[in-house]
């Protein structure tokens, strides 16, 4: 497959030894995720999986955030034409499901290089990656219950497995924000690198791994993952169906309005405090 040039919400670079950096590139929007981003993310992963030039993928973000998660927007008129609110959210869920499916079946080493705060799908999807590196200042938060959503990206299975039920439930059900150190101690994060040298350290590790015989890497990753691929795909499908229903529900709509109003009030108070 030819190098993708039409994925404007990402900055994709192919470095020496086959290290491919796929970076979220909406820094002014804190790398928020919308249907366009999900669609391009899925296509970027599909290209990287098939390209003979790519040996290792590093997922990261430009700007302050790795990603701030789902962009909270109401479907526009073009989205609503094909099937109303439920149809629009079902279509959105389809893009998200593809990203998760590509991550589940990705045949090469994929590293999540989390260079700042990460929210929602950015947290859950990183758990499907093979390795997670982060900076000391990063925080991890999944405010799904606050928004009336549900678990996604196989987090209903992977989080309890990796973190243990109690800590996973604190994150998924109670929305507690975790520090980088807590995520490392829970087994989710492999290593924490200083912010000043973060990408240098990540790329050093990625380049080292990319020099290994590529088929050996693919074969070993398949051994690690193949027993659960179908199971994770089934979990992904189930989560996405429920997420689409949740996002289209009145309960979620009211929760989002309440969330946005509270956010506006906090900004207003902060602005007044500076005067």
């Amino acid at each position: 497959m030819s190098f993708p040039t039409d994925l404007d919400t990402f900055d994709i670079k192919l470095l020496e030894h086959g290290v491919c950096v796929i970076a979220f590139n909406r820094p002014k929007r804190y790398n928020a995720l919308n249907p366009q981003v999900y669609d391009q993310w899925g296509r970027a992963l599909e290209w990287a999986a098939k390209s003979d030039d790519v040996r290792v993928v590093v997922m990261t973000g430009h700007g302050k955030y790795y990603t701030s998660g789902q962009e909270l927007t109401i479907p526009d008129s073009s989205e609503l034409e094909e099937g109303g609110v439920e149809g629009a959210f079902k279509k959105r869920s389809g893009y998200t499901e593809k990203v998760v499916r590509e991550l589940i079946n990705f045949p090469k080493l994929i590293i999540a290089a989390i260079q700042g705060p990460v929210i929602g799908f950015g947290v859950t999807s990183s758990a499907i990656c093979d390795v997670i590196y982060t900076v000391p200042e990063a925080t991890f938060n999944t405010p799904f219950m606050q928004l009336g959503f549900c678990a996604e990206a196989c987090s209903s299975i992977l989080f309890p497995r990796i973190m243990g039920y109690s800590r996973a439930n604190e994150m998924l059900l109670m929305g507690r924000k975790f520090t980088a150190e807590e995520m490392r101690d829970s087994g989710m994060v492999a290593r924490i690198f200083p912010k000043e040298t973060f990408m240098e350290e990540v790329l050093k590790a990625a380049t080292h791994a990319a020099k290994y015989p590529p088929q050996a890497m693919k074969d070993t990753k398949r051994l690690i993952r193949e027993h659960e691929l179908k199971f994770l795909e089934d979990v992904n499908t189930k989560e996405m169906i429920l997420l689409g229903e949740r996002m289209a529900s009145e309960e979620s709509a009211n929760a989002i309005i309440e969330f946005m109003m509270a956010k506006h009030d906090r900004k207003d108070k902060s602005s007044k405090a500076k005067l």
Side-chain angles (χ1 to χ4, degrees):
M1 293 179 69
S2 59
F3 188 86
T5 58
D6 61 337
L7 309 183
D8 58 321
T9 63
F10 288 87
D11 179 20
I12 302 175
K13 289 185 172 66
L14 187 57
L15 309 179
E16 61 180 351
H17 304 296
V19 174
C20 179
V21 179
I22 301 177
F24 297 108
N25 194 28
R26 302 181 77 209
K28 292 182 180 179
R29 300 290 299 176
Y30 300 119
N31 295 326
L33 306 174
N34 60 24
Q36 181 187 20
V37 177
Y38 284 120
D39 176 42
Q40 293 187 8
W41 190 356
R43 289 194 283 136
L45 290 171
E46 186 177 20
W47 164 78
K50 294 178 180 179
S51 174
D52 292 335
D53 295 325
V54 176
R55 291 194 173 192
V56 174
V57 165
V58 175
M59 282 294 316
T60 192
H62 289 331
K64 181 179 178 180
Y65 279 69
Y66 177 76
T67 168
S68 58
Q70 179 68 41
E71 195 167 62
L72 300 176
T73 58
I74 299 171
D76 59 32
S77 57
S78 62
E79 289 183 281
L80 294 173
E81 285 176 1
E82 298 180 8
V85 175
E86 288 188 15
F89 281 119
K90 184 177 181 181
K91 186 174 182 179
R92 289 185 178 190
S93 296
Y95 289 131
T96 309
E97 185 175 355
K98 176 179 171 60
V99 172
V100 178
R101 188 167 61 248
E102 291 293 338
L103 287 170
I104 290 170
N105 293 285
F106 200 77
K108 306 166 186 177
L109 178 67
I110 183 165
I111 298 169
I114 298 175
Q115 89 295 349
V118 55
I119 301 173
F121 189 80
V123 181
T124 56
S125 61
S126 68
I128 313 174
C129 296
D130 301 305
V131 178
I132 301 175
Y133 296 135
T134 191
V135 295
E137 298 84 358
T139 55
F140 298 73
N141 183 216
T142 59
F144 300 143
M145 299 304 99
Q146 189 176 359
L147 299 170
F149 293 172
C150 69
E152 25 127 274
C154 298
S155 59
S156 62
I157 293 297
L158 294 178
F159 277 27
R161 180 188 298 177
I162 297 169
M163 304 173 70
Y165 277 98
S166 188
R167 279 178 295 196
N169 288 337
E170 262 200 313
M171 177 171 277
L172 292 174
L173 297 179
M174 301 177 71
R176 186 169 81 80
K177 186 182 293 184
F178 280 65
T179 66
E181 192 171 85
E182 287 175 315
M183 293 297 276
R184 182 189 60 192
D185 293 344
S186 74
M188 187 77 78
V189 166
R191 281 192 282 174
I192 300 173
F193 295 125
K195 190 171 186 176
E196 297 74 20
T197 59
F198 179 65
M199 282 308 296
E200 179 183 340
E201 295 287 353
V202 170
L203 292 177
K204 185 189 300 182
T207 302
H208 184 75
K211 294 177 181 179
Y212 295 148
Q215 193 57 48
M217 182 79 73
K218 290 180 182 178
D219 288 345
T220 301
K221 179 167 178 176
R222 188 172 65 250
L223 285 172
I224 294 169
R225 277 281 177 94
E226 66 180 353
H227 68 285
E228 63 177 7
L229 293 180
K230 178 63 169 59
F231 173 63
L232 290 178
E233 286 188 355
D234 289 344
V235 170
N236 179 33
T237 299
K238 185 175 182 179
E239 287 178 345
M240 285 300 106
I241 290 172
L242 183 56
L243 182 60
E245 293 174 357
R246 295 299 316 140
M247 292 177 74
S249 69
E250 183 179 351
E251 180 184 67
S252 180
N254 291 335
I256 290 172
I257 291 170
E258 186 176 336
F259 175 84
M260 296 302 290
M261 289 178 64
K263 186 177 181 181
H264 180 270
D265 288 344
R266 287 195 299 271
K267 282 186 177 180
D268 190 46
K269 289 179 181 178
S270 177
S271 296
K272 289 179 179 178
K274 292 177 181 178
L275 296 177

